[in-house]
Amino acid sequence: MARAGLDTDEVVRAGARLADVEGLEALTLARLAGDLGVRAPSLYAHVSGLDDLRRRIGVRGALELAGELQTAAAGRAGADALDAVARAYRDYARAHPGSYEALQRAPDPRDARAGAAATRVVDVVRAVLRGYGLDGDDATHATRAIRSALHGFVSLERGGGFGLPLALDESYAELVDVLDRGLAAASSGRPRRAGPAPRARPRRTTPRPKP
């Protein structure tokens, strides 16, 4: 039985709430239908299946995260903006773990709405990076580095990956400080350190044994 007034936005919101409470993998159409008081087939009037629902939750999550980051960065610059954005990123991941997980997948290039949502998140970070004088490819590399660092920390935190008796808030602040110093160094025009040249494999000087 279809419920009067049920629309796609409400279905996605309810799916996001369920994913945030029980985890994205626990989200099923049958469970969501029960929460909404409808039969599972009724949901197909709003989403094409579970993958589509998760995709929509990811788009919604990306837009929410972008809004949180933009609010945090407003009126700030440099290290202050980076710190505020990093704290907002962690806060969102902790408050909305299911939505956060859903938004991590790179959007399908054919999905304009998902691409636009992901771009909004990136645009906030790139605006922060302009405060460090970084743009173009340098900003792209820096954006990936920031995302990798923050995502790595919050994922380990969520998974109970930190066992030492040391305050995680302090460790996160240290991580952001390391990022700030690295970005400041990159913006100062300091040349990148070249990695060691690959070692040539020595030639065999003794004959191979016959099989």
Side-chain angles (χ1 to χ4, degrees), residues 137-202:
D137 288 348
D138 288 339
T140 299
H141 292 312
T143 298
R144 289 174 174 172
I146 292 170
R147 180 190 178 193
S148 298
L150 302 187
H151 174 67
F153 191 101
V154 300
S155 296
L156 286 168
E157 182 178 23
R158 286 174 51 216
F162 296 118
L164 296 177
L166 192 63
L168 292 181
D169 288 351
E170 293 180 13
S171 295
Y172 196 69
E174 287 290 336
L175 172 65
V176 177
D177 184 59
V178 168
L179 289 172
D180 170 58
R181 283 183 276 132
L183 294 171
S187 66
S188 69
R190 183 183 303 173
R192 295 181 179 177
R193 291 183 298 174
R199 298 179 61 182
R201 180 178 298 176

Side-chain angles (χ1 to χ4, degrees), residues 5 7 24 38-39 43 46 53 63 76 84-85 88 106-107 146-147 150 176 182 199 210:
D7 60 20
L24 188 63
V38 300
R39 297 178 59 188
L43 297 181
H46 308 288
L53 175 61
L63 292 172
R76 303 173 186 269
V85 164
I146 292 170
R147 180 190 178 193
L150 302 187
V176 177
R199 298 179 61 182
K210 292 183 179 180

Side-chain angles (χ1 to χ4, degrees), residues 27-204:
L27 175 65
T28 66
L29 293 182
R31 176 61 193 279
L32 178 59
D35 284 0
L36 290 170
V38 300
R39 297 178 59 188
S42 300
L43 297 181
Y44 285 93
H46 308 288
V47 296
S48 63
L50 183 57
D51 285 345
D52 182 42
L53 175 61
R54 288 175 174 171
R55 179 191 63 80
R56 291 174 183 270
I57 290 172
V59 171
R60 181 177 183 274
L63 292 172
E64 285 184 336
L65 177 60
E68 295 290 333
L69 299 185
Q70 192 167 26
T71 298
R76 303 173 186 269
D80 189 28
L82 178 65
D83 179 67
V85 164
R87 284 187 282 108
Y89 185 98
R90 184 184 180 209
D91 288 346
Y92 183 85
R94 297 167 81 179
H96 305 281
S99 297
Y100 175 78
E101 184 179 350
L103 69 84
Q104 292 306 314
R105 181 174 298 180
D108 188 323
R110 297 168 295 182
D111 189 340
R113 189 164 182 264
T119 297
R120 283 190 59 183
V121 176
V122 173
D123 284 347
V124 177
V125 178
R126 291 181 74 96
V128 172
L129 292 173
R130 283 196 290 274
Y132 287 91
L134 297 176
D135 210 339
D137 288 348
D138 288 339
T140 299
H141 292 312
T143 298
R144 289 174 174 172
I146 292 170
R147 180 190 178 193
S148 298
L150 302 187
H151 174 67
F153 191 101
V154 300
S155 296
L156 286 168
E157 182 178 23
R158 286 174 51 216
F162 296 118
L164 296 177
L166 192 63
L168 292 181
D169 288 351
E170 293 180 13
S171 295
Y172 196 69
E174 287 290 336
L175 172 65
V176 177
D177 184 59
V178 168
L179 289 172
D180 170 58
R181 283 183 276 132
L183 294 171
S187 66
S188 69
R190 183 183 303 173
R192 295 181 179 177
R193 291 183 298 174
R199 298 179 61 182
R201 180 178 298 176
R203 292 185 178 181
R204 180 182 292 273

